[in-house]
């Protein structure tokens, strides 16, 4: 929806003032901070139009107005002036925390950097494990229980218990493992699954079940990662009145951090886009609270997008500061992981 220049200027001034002090903004204040030479009556008329269009709302306790989720969206999409920061100085400040080391440590440091610089919560969606296997083994534990052992190219070992309907002899288990390793070793389990669709008919029934079970259990084992979402600075949000003003808000906040499912979905979706994305509560079903926003950006390893990071904070956050923090952290994390 198009707004004329005067309406845009007033909406921008209102959002910036509300972000700064959290109080409804009245027409008298807008006349002083907007820089427009308009009469109070004209400003009131424009604000009434903005309210009718859904960009601002009037709290019952005040004559002033506050931005709605739609108003915030208009602000961040078309009116926001991103703060000019010394990118070199910020990179230098962050560099020590993102020195090449283990992937797990780099990701944890990135979440801490986002939290400390934004003063909110930092979050990183870890790269998904590639389900490539180098070798598998079947070990007979008892009559109908088999231990599946999967070894990845980098030496990681995953185990899964298989419950069978028939008793496989150790010799048959060795034969099946040798066949899988010879024909499929070094492939991803997703690729193996596709190839098996056309090849299983050629195999004996006893080997067919073992191969299907190995692929399904192996995929679950190698993509299972309980630390997939790394969060730092959750406590910072407890001091944000907008997010912790009542027990219902606190419950939603802690449910989000405890369950992580919705957060993972949001980060996964934002990883399919390029550049910084802003999810505003009240307009996005992925954000559990109207008073919350999430600013995200994807990061890469060797030119391929593998994950997402971001800042979780109140809708009333200083987006002009947070956006460059998220953007630069994504670049530095990409560089650190590509050289680790």
């Amino acid at each position: 929806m198009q707004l004329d220049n005067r309406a845009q200027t007033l909406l921008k001034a209102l959002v910036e003032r509300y972000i700064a002090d959290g109080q409804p903004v009245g027409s008298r204040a807008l006349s002083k901070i907007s820089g427009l030479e308009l009469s109070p009556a004209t400003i009131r008329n424009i604000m009434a139009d903005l309210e009718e269009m859904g960009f601002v709302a009037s709290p019952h306790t005040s004559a002033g107005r506050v931005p709605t989720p739609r108003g915030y969206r208009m602000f961040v999409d078309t009116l926001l002036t991103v703060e000019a920061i010394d990118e070199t100085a910020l990179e230098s400040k962050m560099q020590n925390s993102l020195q090449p080391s283990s992937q797990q440590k780099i990701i944890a440091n990135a979440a801490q950097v986002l939290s400390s610089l934004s003063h909110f919560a930092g979050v990183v969606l870890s790269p998904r494990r590639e389900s490539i296997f180098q070798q598998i083994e079947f070990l007979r534990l008892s009559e109908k229980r088999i231990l599946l052992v999967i070894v990845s190219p980098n030496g990681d070992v995953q185990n899964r218990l298989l419950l069978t309907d028939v008793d496989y002899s150790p010799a048959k288990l060795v034969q099946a493992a040798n066949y899988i390793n010879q024909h499929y070793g070094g492939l991803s389990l997703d690729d193996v699954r596709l190839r098996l669709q056309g090849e299983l008919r050629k195999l004996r029934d006893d080997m067919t079940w073992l191969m299907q079970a190995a692929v399904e259990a192996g995929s679950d084992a190698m993509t299972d990662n309980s630390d997939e979402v790394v969060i730092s600075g959750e406590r910072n949000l407890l001091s944000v009145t907008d997010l912790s003003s009542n027990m219902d808000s606190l419950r939603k906040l802690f449910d989000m951090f405890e369950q992580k499912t919705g957060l993972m979905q949001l980060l996964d979706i934002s990883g399919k886009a390029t550049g910084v994305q802003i999810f505003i509560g009240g307009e996005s079903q992925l954000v559990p609270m109207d008073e919350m926003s999430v600013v995200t950006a994807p990061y890469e390893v060797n030119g391929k997008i593998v994950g997402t990071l971001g800042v979780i904070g109140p809708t009333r956050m200083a987006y002009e500061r947070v956006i460059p923090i998220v953007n630069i952290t994504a670049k530095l994390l990409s560089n650190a992981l590509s050289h680790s």
Side-chain angles (χ1 to χ4, degrees), residues 279-303:
F279 297 85
I280 296 173
E283 63 158 19
S284 171
Q285 298 302 312
L286 295 172
V287 180
M289 298 169 61
D290 290 352
E291 303 83 8
M292 175 184 291
S293 287
V294 184
V295 181
T296 69
Y299 64 90
E300 306 174 346
V301 173
N302 298 321

Side-chain angles (χ1 to χ4, degrees), residues 182-202:
Q182 180 181 349
H183 289 83
Y184 305 109
L187 297 177
S188 74
L189 290 165
D190 287 338
D191 289 339
V192 176
R193 183 184 289 108
L194 291 175
R195 288 178 56 171
L196 285 179
Q197 290 175 358
E199 297 179 13
L200 282 179
R201 288 187 296 272
K202 305 173 187 176

Side-chain angles (χ1 to χ4, degrees), residues 30 40 55 104 150 184:
L30 281 174
F55 293 111
Q104 188 176 6
I150 309 163
Y184 305 109

Side-chain angles (χ1 to χ4, degrees), residues 14 107 109-110 114 152-153 160 171 205 211 217 231 258 297:
L14 182 144
I107 288 172
N109 285 345
L114 289 165
S152 70
R160 279 295 185 273
D205 288 342
M211 293 183 70
I231 304 173
E258 184 177 345

Side-chain angles (χ1 to χ4, degrees), residues 72-251:
Y72 277 118
R73 173 54 59 192
M74 174 67 75
F75 175 73
V76 299
D77 284 350
T78 63
L79 306 176
L80 177 66
T81 303
V82 176
E83 188 175 282
I85 63 171
D86 187 337
E87 190 165 323
T88 303
L90 185 56
E91 287 185 2
S92 177
K93 183 176 181 180
M94 298 162 63
Q95 201 73 52
N96 290 336
S97 299
L98 297 176
Q99 287 295 326
S101 59
S102 71
Q103 176 176 291
Q104 188 176 6
K105 184 175 181 181
I106 293 172
I107 288 172
N109 285 345
Q112 290 171 3
V113 164
L114 289 165
S115 173
S116 63
L117 292 177
S118 68
H119 306 300
F120 299 128
V123 59
V124 181
L125 179 64
S126 301
R128 295 187 180 276
R129 294 182 190 172
E130 285 194 282
S131 57
I132 295 174
F133 77 98
Q134 192 66 38
Q135 177 182 340
I136 72 165
E137 290 182 37
F138 296 110
L139 300 177
R140 185 179 184 275
L141 298 178
S142 62
E143 185 176 331
K144 295 183 180 180
R145 296 169 73 236
I146 298 170
L147 182 66
L148 170 66
V149 181
I150 309 163
V151 183
S152 70
N154 63 6
D156 285 345
V157 178
Q158 299 288 328
N159 300 315
R160 279 295 185 273
L161 179 65
L162 304 180
L163 302 177
T164 71
D165 292 330
V166 298
D167 185 14
Y168 291 95
S169 68
K172 282 188 178 292
L173 295 179
V174 170
Q175 183 184 16
N178 287 342
Y179 183 92
I180 295 172
N181 293 332
Q182 180 181 349
H183 289 83
Y184 305 109
L187 297 177
S188 74
L189 290 165
D190 287 338
D191 289 339
V192 176
R193 183 184 289 108
L194 291 175
R195 288 178 56 171
L196 285 179
Q197 290 175 358
E199 297 179 13
L200 282 179
R201 288 187 296 272
K202 305 173 187 176
L203 302 174
R204 295 189 306 276
D205 288 342
D206 55 357
M207 193 178 294
T208 294
W209 186 90
L210 281 171
M211 293 183 70
Q212 288 177 320
V215 168
E216 296 306 320
S219 295
D220 290 343
M222 297 187 75
T223 57
D224 182 27
N225 187 353
S226 59
D227 294 325
E228 197 162 18
V229 178
V230 179
I231 304 173
S232 177
E234 303 100 308
R235 281 182 168 273
N236 291 340
L237 300 184
L238 294 178
S239 61
V240 178
T241 306
D242 296 14
L243 298 178
S244 60
S245 55
N246 58 59
M247 285 304 297
D248 185 53
S249 295
L250 282 175
R251 191 176 297 111

